[in-house]
């Protein structure tokens, strides 16, 4: 038995036979052809490229939603195969040096991969993975070998791979795959997001699982704990079979709460919304009981592609989500690029501290044409549902008024052109900078709602880089300063009679639900899988008792003290819950 630990990317437990999906580049040795065979060699390479394009195009055309991430990335793969850097240089090397095509192509590919490897930008660097996946396909076609396809899998299996390409994940939708285990990846990687949207367990970032795996190995995959067990003992299989039964029972028990309102025992109702990144997540959000979308991260429409999305493409995408939630609000956040999210088609200067640099609303106010185009698309979509518009990273009144002025300018243009939109579309801001929380009473007079983004609020208030492992222990949601900033924001909103939501990770963590109820939040927005459990806790709570308890918490001096008192309280009133 061999136990490996990775990153828990998608919950659940799978037990079954492994299926190794080889995506390593076949090795090549330097070799040449005779002069009279050069054109024949070049033609064979071009046929392999053409076959690869046909295969990718066939997979892409099987994806119904042309606005989906799958479709977009497969289009990027097609475009890369038309790039002269890749194809023309290979043909040139074959003709000028009489290299065999596989050696010439490998040489060009490795040079490009080294270039991508040196790029500091994470998103651009990940395009190297795309290139590697394309290279694998071309070389297999050149050798006349079939490209290992998920579509051919007929029995339930757990996939083991270095990484999965968009072409792979597009085929998983129609295959009996029980789960994924990959060498690379993070919680925000394409593979992890796909696993969550499909509702199957996944562990990523296992580093060497493809080295450790042997053909036909039995596998236990624990997506809750980030554990993968190869060649498990009978005892381990029995143990995880019981764990899996318990997990499925918990999910089944929680599922009934999805259909119930989030109302406390003393009659206070909170609206629970979902955070989404892609339109295809809307169905899962509705099944989990989401009463709308509290955070639609539109920047993902701008990533993993070569060009900027047009106004029409944005409009159709936003409209699709708005129509899906026709009876509920859909909160569309305007672009939050910069920081840790970059679009390859937008050039941003290197910054010493990008988290506090030209990002989010600051970027939009600088790049007004991109901002106006998105606002037009959101306003047009508002004619087809209950759409709200939300600005990220507002630090003060100046930025807010500048953004609102641009919205009014776009509205006037639409009215002039007789294009329909919701004239009363609610406009709100994310409160994620301490300065915004401190003047919440002033900002609340100029907007229709607040949404507290706790990920950044904690980062900025406590001056810690949340991805820096040396200071991550200081990331404390229960720090007295954070609780007081949230309380101040809620009070400012309620004094102005506007609702206040929370859409950061804190909102979806059941351990904090009772405190957030006590702080007076009106709405909570979270990943869809968390909604049933948060709803169950709220339905067992008494709002006025939570308010009184939380008031007492604010008098304590440290996060450790507050956490200890909170845990004791939760164990007393929710003995059946696991925190």
């Amino acid at each position: 038995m061999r136990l490996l630990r990775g990153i828990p990317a998608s919950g659940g437990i799978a037990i079954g036979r492994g299926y190794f999906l080889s995506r390593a580049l076949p090795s090549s040795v330097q070799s040449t052809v005779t002069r009279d065979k050069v054109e024949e060699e070049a033609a064979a390479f071009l046929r392999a490229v053409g076959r690869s394009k046909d295969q990718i195009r066939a997979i892409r055309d099987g994806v119904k939603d042309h606005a989906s991430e799958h479709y977009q990335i497969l289009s990027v793969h097609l475009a890369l195969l038309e790039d002269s850097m890749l194809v023309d240089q290979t043909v040139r090397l074959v003709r000028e040096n009489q290299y065999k095509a596989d050696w010439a192509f490998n040489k060009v590919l490795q040079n490009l991969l080294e270039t991508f490897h040196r790029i500091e930008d994470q998103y651009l660097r990940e395009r190297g993975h795309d290139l590697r996946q394309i290279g694998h396909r071309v070389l297999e076609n050149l050798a006349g070998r079939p490209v290992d396809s998920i579509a051919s899998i007929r029995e339930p299996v757990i996939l083991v791979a270095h990484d999965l390409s968009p072409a792979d994940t597009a085929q998983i939708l129609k295959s009996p795959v029980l789960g994924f285990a990959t060498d690379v990846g993070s919680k925000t990687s394409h593979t992890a997001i796909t696993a969550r949207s499909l509702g199957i367990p996944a562990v990523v970032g296992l580093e060497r699982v493809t080295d450790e795996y042997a053909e036909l190995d039995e596998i236990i995959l624990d997506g809750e704990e980030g554990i993968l067990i190869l060649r498990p003992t009978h005892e381990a299989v029995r143990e995880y079979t019981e764990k899996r039964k318990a997990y499925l029972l918990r999910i089944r028990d929680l599922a009934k709460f999805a259909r119930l309102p989030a109302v406390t025992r003393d009659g206070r109702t909170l609206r629970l919304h979902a955070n989404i990144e892609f339109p295809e997540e809307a169905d899962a959000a509705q099944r989990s009981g989401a009463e709308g979308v509290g955070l639609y991260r539109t920047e993902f429409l701008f990533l993993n592609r070569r060009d900027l999305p047009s106004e029409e493409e944005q409009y159709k995408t936003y409209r699709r989500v708005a129509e899906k939630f026709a009876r509920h609000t859909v909160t569309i956040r305007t672009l939050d690029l910069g920081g840790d999210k970059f679009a390859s088609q937008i050039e941003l200067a290197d910054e010493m501290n990008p988290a506090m640099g030209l990002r989010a609303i600051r970027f939009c106010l600088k790049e007004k044409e991109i901002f106006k185009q998105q606002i037009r698309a959101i306003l047009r979509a508002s004619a087809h549902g209950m759409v709200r518009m939300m600005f990220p990273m507002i630090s003060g009144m100046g930025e807010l008024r500048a953004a609102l002025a641009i919205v009014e300018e776009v509205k006037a243009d639409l009215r002039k052109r007789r294009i329909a939109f919701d004239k009363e579309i609610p406009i709100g801001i994310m409160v994620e900078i301490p300065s915004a929380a401190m003047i919440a009473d002033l900002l609340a007079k100029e907007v229709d709602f607040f949404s507290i983004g706790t990920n950044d609020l904690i980062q900025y208030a406590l001056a810690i880089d949340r991805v820096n492992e040396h200071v991550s222990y200081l990331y404390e949601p229960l720090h007295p300063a954070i609780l007081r900033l949230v309380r101040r924001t809620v009070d400012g909103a309620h004094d102005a009679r506007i609702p206040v939501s929370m859409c950061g990770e804190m909102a979806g963590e059941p351990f904090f639900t009772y405190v957030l109820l006590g702080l007076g939040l009106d709405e909570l927005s979270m990943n869809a899988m968390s909604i049933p459990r948060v709803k169950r806790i709220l339905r067992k709570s008494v709002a006025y008792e939570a308010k009184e308890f939380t008031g007492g918490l604010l008098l304590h001096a440290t996060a450790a003290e507050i956490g200890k008192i909170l845990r004791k309280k939760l164990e007393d009133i929710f003995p059946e819950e696991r925190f």
Side-chain angles (χ1 to χ4, degrees):
M1 182 170 108
R2 180 84 168 101
L3 188 148
L4 304 174
R5 291 188 183 277
I7 299 168
S10 180
I13 294 171
I15 303 172
R17 187 169 62 83
Y19 184 95
F20 181 63
L21 202 64
S22 172
R23 290 293 180 260
L25 290 174
S27 60
S28 298
V29 294
Q30 183 171 352
S31 51
T32 56
V33 295
T34 55
R35 175 60 63 188
D36 63 319
K37 297 288 185 184
V38 163
E39 288 308 317
E40 190 179 316
E41 193 70 8
F45 169 69
L46 292 174
R47 280 197 301 275
V49 171
R51 198 174 302 125
S52 300
K53 288 162 70 172
D54 289 344
Q55 290 165 350
I56 295 172
R57 194 176 291 113
I59 297 169
R60 186 195 65 172
D61 292 348
V63 178
K64 292 180 181 175
D65 180 8
H66 290 195
S68 70
E69 189 193 27
H70 281 138
Y71 191 93
Q72 297 297 337
I73 297 180
L74 288 166
S75 296
V76 170
H77 281 199
L78 275 175
L80 284 171
L81 275 175
E82 289 165 357
D83 195 315
S84 59
M85 289 284 287
L86 197 61
V87 179
D88 293 356
Q89 279 198 36
T90 301
V91 172
R92 184 176 59 76
L93 283 178
V94 170
R95 286 175 174 156
E96 293 180 359
N97 300 67
Q98 296 176 232
Y99 286 148
K100 287 202 73 173
D102 62 330
W103 170 252
F105 182 62
N106 239 321
K107 193 174 174 63
V108 173
L109 198 59
Q110 292 301 334
N111 286 339
L112 286 174
L113 286 172
E114 283 178 22
T115 302
F116 275 99
H117 185 68
R118 288 195 296 270
I119 296 174
E120 291 186 5
D121 178 283
Q122 180 185 348
Y123 283 98
L124 289 176
R125 196 166 57 242
E126 286 182 358
R127 301 290 64 77
H129 296 311
D130 295 335
L131 203 57
R132 190 180 294 277
Q133 290 158 1
I134 291 167
H136 174 270
R137 184 177 292 277
V138 171
L139 287 168
E140 291 296 289
N141 279 318
L142 187 59
R145 291 188 291 265
V147 179
D148 208 3
S149 171
I150 292 173
S152 64
I153 296 174
R154 293 290 176 267
E155 301 293 328
V157 292
I158 297 170
L159 288 182
V160 176
H162 179 71
D163 196 7
L164 296 174
S165 71
D168 293 327
T169 49
Q171 294 176 75
I172 285 171
L173 295 167
K174 299 174 183 175
S175 68
V177 170
L178 300 173
F180 310 152
T182 60
D183 286 334
V184 300
S186 66
K187 278 199 169 185
T188 57
S189 64
H190 169 76
T191 306
I193 291 169
T194 301
R196 288 196 291 275
S197 68
L198 295 175
I200 60 177
V203 180
V204 301
L206 285 156
E207 296 185 352
R208 298 178 62 83
V209 63
T210 52
D211 292 338
E212 303 268 357
Y213 175 78
E215 191 176 3
L216 300 179
D217 265 354
E218 188 170 16
I219 290 176
I220 294 174
L221 185 73
D222 184 349
E224 297 284 290
E225 302 291 335
I227 288 174
L228 179 133
I229 300 174
L230 297 170
R231 304 174 289 282
T233 61
H234 293 304
E235 290 75 17
V237 172
R238 270 200 297 273
E239 177 190 345
Y240 275 89
T241 299
E242 292 305 311
K243 280 188 176 180
R244 184 170 181 274
K245 285 179 184 173
Y247 174 81
L248 293 175
L249 280 174
R250 286 203 306 276
I251 297 298
R252 195 178 306 161
D253 182 52
L254 281 172
K256 64 187 179 191
F257 288 91
R259 299 186 294 274
L260 301 174
V263 57
T264 64
R265 287 165 52 200
D266 54 341
R268 180 149 192 272
T269 301
L270 277 78
R271 284 180 293 281
L272 298 194
H273 294 162
N275 295 343
I276 68 169
E277 290 153 3
F278 310 107
E280 48 267 51
E281 293 177 88
D283 287 336
Q286 289 182 324
R287 284 196 301 273
S288 296
E291 299 174 283
V293 175
L295 174 62
Y296 179 12
R297 300 183 176 102
T298 58
E299 53 275 10
F300 284 85
L301 192 58
F302 289 68
L303 304 176
N304 293 318
R305 57 188 297 161
R306 287 183 145 194
D307 55 344
L308 288 170
S310 66
E311 176 189 323
E312 193 64 18
E313 182 182 345
Q314 293 184 64
Y315 158 67
K316 287 179 178 175
T317 306
Y318 306 154
R319 175 180 173 174
R320 185 178 159 206
V321 178
E323 290 180 334
K324 196 78 181 177
F325 286 90
R327 294 181 299 152
H328 298 295
T329 56
V330 171
T331 309
I332 301 178
R333 182 175 71 181
T334 56
L335 268 178
D336 188 12
L337 289 174
D340 58 352
K341 297 187 285 289
F342 294 91
S344 56
Q345 65 283 70
I346 298 172
E347 290 188 10
L348 292 173
D350 289 341
E351 295 181 309
M352 288 291 288
N353 197 340
M356 290 192 273
L358 185 64
R359 55 169 291 204
I361 195 66
R362 302 169 185 184
F363 167 80
C364 288
L365 292 176
K366 181 173 183 290
E367 300 292 340
K368 289 181 182 170
E369 287 310 309
I370 294 175
F371 192 33
K372 285 180 182 177
Q373 190 179 62
Q374 183 180 38
I375 290 172
R376 272 196 298 274
I378 295 173
L379 287 173
R380 289 173 60 195
S382 72
H384 305 280
M386 297 169 64
V387 171
R388 303 195 296 189
M389 187 188 306
M390 180 165 72
F391 304 134
M393 209 179 169
I394 292 289
S395 65
M397 196 64 78
E399 284 173 338
L400 173 59
R401 287 177 176 166
L404 290 173
I406 292 175
V407 173
E408 289 306 314
E409 187 182 329
V410 175
K411 280 183 175 178
D413 177 58
L414 291 178
R415 275 193 289 267
K416 187 177 176 182
R417 293 194 284 150
R418 298 180 183 279
I419 296 175
F421 66 95
D422 177 5
K423 309 291 188 298
E424 304 298 325
I425 179 173
I427 297 179
I429 63 168
M430 286 190 73
V431 176
E432 50 191 340
I433 298 179
S435 60
M438 294 302 291
I439 60 167
D441 56 329
L442 303 177
L443 293 168
K445 294 174 183 172
E446 311 227 0
V447 295
D448 300 301
F449 66 94
F450 282 163
S451 186
I452 301 173
T454 50
N455 301 352
D456 275 339
L457 183 64
I458 295 170
Q459 173 170 255
Y460 294 134
L462 304 183
I464 61 130
D465 179 352
R466 63 176 187 259
V467 297
N468 182 333
E469 68 273 19
H470 300 299
V471 294
S472 59
Y473 71 97
L474 291 171
Y475 190 83
E476 297 177 314
L478 292 178
H479 191 293
I482 302 302
L483 298 184
R484 290 174 187 224
L485 286 171
V486 172
R487 167 61 65 84
R488 192 179 184 99
T489 304
V490 171
D491 289 346
H494 287 174
D495 287 347
R497 299 181 183 280
I498 66 169
V500 57
S501 173
M502 178 178 285
C503 59
E505 290 299 314
M506 193 174 175
E509 175 52 59
F511 182 63
F512 302 124
T513 301
Y514 195 68
V515 170
L516 300 182
L517 173 66
L519 286 170
L521 275 295
D522 302 297
E523 305 168 0
L524 299 176
S525 191
M526 62 199 76
N527 71 77
M529 292 177 70
S530 295
I531 290 176
R533 190 168 174 214
V534 169
K535 198 176 280 191
R536 180 167 71 181
I537 292 171
L538 288 171
R539 289 180 61 84
K540 292 179 179 178
S541 302
V542 177
Y544 80 85
E545 290 178 356
K547 183 178 181 181
E548 188 176 294
F549 170 75
T550 305
L553 283 185
L554 292 174
L555 302 176
H556 290 273
T558 71
E561 288 175 29
I562 293 172
K564 187 176 178 182
I565 296 167
L566 174 60
R567 185 168 296 281
K568 175 71 171 59
K569 178 71 174 179
L570 296 181
E571 288 171 353
D572 287 345
I573 59 178
F574 307 115
E576 71 285 6
E577 292 284 349
R578 297 166 54 194
F579 293 105

